[in-house]
Amino acid sequence: LWQQMVYHALIHNGKIETFDYAEVPDRYKNGKNKIADKYFIKKDDVLFQAKGSKIDVVYVDKDYEKVLPSTLYFILRPNEKINPKYLQWLLKTELVLLYFEKKYKTMGTVRAVNKVDIVKLNVKIPKREVQDEMAKIITSFEDEEYSTMKYLKIKRKYIEERIIENK
């Protein structure tokens, strides 16, 4: 049985781009040591990178079959009162990131963030309807940002090709 693993290098702009495949040792496939379903990522999960040189927050925008996050990530499963897209952006706002960096940063590296600190984060959460509206604005912004970056890459390539041609 092969499992898919999400690692930091496979994430770009807060989205899962691809997977690595990893063999799950036999002792975790069956019996008392079997990996429980709750450890596999699901649509609308928010992955919080709790270890490493930076903090990253990923929104799982679709269902994947048997994908485990690397040990760098906590899986956050918002209840019906929290829009997961809103939660992702809340956790990656500059103010929240500064809070975690100040609390955990040593020698230029953010050390392991405790899940308790994420759960007990003291921030005001608006009503679900407001979160849903913000999530629409966020999604629209991300789509526009993606299109703009794609356009700029094409433009850069065009300019570079013109420069090379005119030598």
Side-chain angles (χ1 to χ4, degrees):
L1 177 69
W2 287 88
Q3 300 295 316
Q4 297 175 342
M5 296 289 291
V6 175
Y7 295 101
H8 176 68
L10 309 175
I11 292 174
H12 183 68
N13 285 341
K15 291 187 179 179
I16 300 169
E17 295 285 322
T18 186
F19 303 101
D20 273 353
Y21 288 87
E23 178 70 38
V24 173
D26 287 336
R27 68 182 180 274
Y28 297 120
K29 294 178 185 174
N30 297 303
K32 66 176 183 162
N33 293 324
K34 182 180 178 190
I35 299 171
D37 285 343
K38 71 179 183 176
Y39 295 112
F40 294 101
I41 64 171
K42 299 178 172 104
K43 184 180 187 319
D44 291 332
D45 280 350
V46 175
L47 305 179
F48 185 91
Q49 183 182 341
K51 302 174 190 168
S53 60
K54 68 176 195 145
I55 294 172
D56 197 9
V57 187
V58 179
Y59 169 63
V60 180
D61 62 346
K62 60 185 173 186
D63 281 315
Y64 296 98
E65 188 176 334
K66 297 291 184 186
V67 176
L68 292 167
S70 81
T71 56
L72 291 176
Y73 295 95
F74 290 132
I75 297 175
L76 304 175
R77 291 222 162 96
N79 62 28
E80 66 281 346
K81 294 178 184 176
I82 308 281
N83 181 298
K85 189 68 178 169
Y86 178 87
L87 178 62
Q88 176 205 18
W89 272 65
L90 173 68
L91 291 174
K92 68 180 195 173
T93 57
E94 197 171 326
L95 191 62
V96 172
L97 292 178
L98 282 172
Y99 165 77
F100 286 122
E101 282 185 15
K102 280 186 175 179
K103 184 164 179 137
Y104 291 103
K105 200 167 191 173
T106 57
M107 307 274 296
T109 303
V110 176
R111 299 294 177 209
V113 174
N114 293 322
K115 192 171 188 176
V116 172
D117 287 329
I118 300 168
V119 173
K120 292 188 175 193
L121 196 61
N122 190 11
V123 291
K124 187 177 179 198
I125 305 284
K127 292 183 180 179
R128 178 63 193 242
E129 298 79 34
V130 174
Q131 295 176 49
D132 292 345
E133 285 302 311
M134 285 301 302
K136 288 177 189 174
I137 293 167
I138 290 166
T139 301
S140 176
F141 170 79
E142 288 176 337
D143 292 345
E144 184 179 347
E145 182 181 43
Y146 173 80
S147 297
T148 301
M149 295 308 292
K150 187 175 175 182
Y151 164 75
L152 291 174
K153 284 179 184 176
I154 292 168
K155 190 172 184 178
R156 173 183 287 276
K157 184 177 178 188
Y158 173 79
I159 291 168
E160 289 174 354
E161 286 174 355
R162 297 295 82 73
I163 290 171
I164 292 170
E165 285 178 3
N166 290 319
K167 281 191 172 187

